[in-house]
Amino acid sequence: MASSTSSSSTTLQDKYDVFLSFRGEDTRHNFTSHLYAAFCQKKIRTFIDDDGLKRGDEISPALLKAIEESKISVIIFSKEYASSKWCLDELEKILECKEKNGQMVMPVFYHINPSDVRKQTGSFKDAFTKHEKKFKKMLEKIQRWIAALIEASNLSGWDLMGFD
């Protein structure tokens, strides 16, 4: 168990080496499960949400804490990633930890073109059209999600367009 340390430290007491951010319906039972298994095999402490996490309007404090307690976040962008308010909220928190704590962020573009993420085209455009209708009074939040997608898609990562 990690002991608490001073918050002035640039790195929090890391509980995880890697936090995986992904849209479960798209990648849980294929790419993400294989990546998680490979990390575990190499003894890399990896946080992955489970199917049993309670879904609600807001990300749970436990999930936010897991992001904060990770050295690296791997964001697996997939076709339906932007349709999930949870994924977009996770992305915001990940980029906040990158800025505040120097957390390394590594994007993976799984069956999605990085420019679709950056410019919100294709399935990302469709997702934001729905978000704008559903969250009419939360336009600032939607703008933060768009800014987060642009920032994350401009990071060096992996384009796995043809990977199965």
Side-chain angles (χ1 to χ4, degrees), residues 25-125:
E25 295 171 13
D26 286 358
T27 69
R28 178 183 304 283
H29 299 293
N30 49 49
F31 179 78
T32 301
S33 63
H34 295 298
L35 182 60
Y36 178 71
F39 284 150
C40 289
Q41 185 177 28
K42 295 292 183 183
K43 307 282 190 257
I44 298 171
R45 297 168 298 162
T46 304
F47 180 90
I48 187 170
D49 74 346
D50 62 19
D51 290 317
L53 274 179
K54 183 180 177 216
R55 299 290 182 209
D57 289 338
E58 300 296 324
I59 294 179
S60 73
L63 193 61
L64 294 173
K65 186 171 168 111
I67 294 169
E68 291 171 355
E69 294 178 336
S70 298
K71 293 178 186 174
I72 300 168
S73 283
V74 175
I75 306 163
I76 303 167
F77 289 115
S78 57
K79 291 184 184 205
E80 296 302 318
Y81 186 93
S83 68
S84 168
K85 177 184 177 302
W86 263 50
C87 287
L88 296 169
D89 285 343
E90 275 182 18
L91 178 61
E92 270 193 282
K93 181 65 175 179
I94 288 167
L95 293 173
E96 176 188 313
C97 289
K98 175 185 178 287
E99 181 68 27
K100 288 183 177 178
N101 307 329
Q103 186 181 93
M104 183 181 292
V105 177
M106 305 168 86
V108 175
F109 302 93
Y110 182 76
H111 291 250
I112 188 82
N113 190 317
S115 69
D116 288 343
V117 178
R118 186 174 305 109
K119 298 175 183 175
Q120 292 81 58
T121 56
S123 62
F124 278 61
K125 178 181 180 181

Side-chain angles (χ1 to χ4, degrees), residues 129-152:
T129 299
K130 289 176 185 172
H131 289 317
E132 288 168 358
K133 287 178 184 172
K134 186 174 181 179
F135 303 115
K136 288 180 182 175
K137 297 184 186 218
M138 298 173 56
L139 293 179
E140 285 182 31
K141 185 168 197 66
I142 291 171
Q143 289 304 312
R144 287 195 317 268
W145 288 341
I146 290 170
L149 287 168
I150 293 168
E151 180 181 344

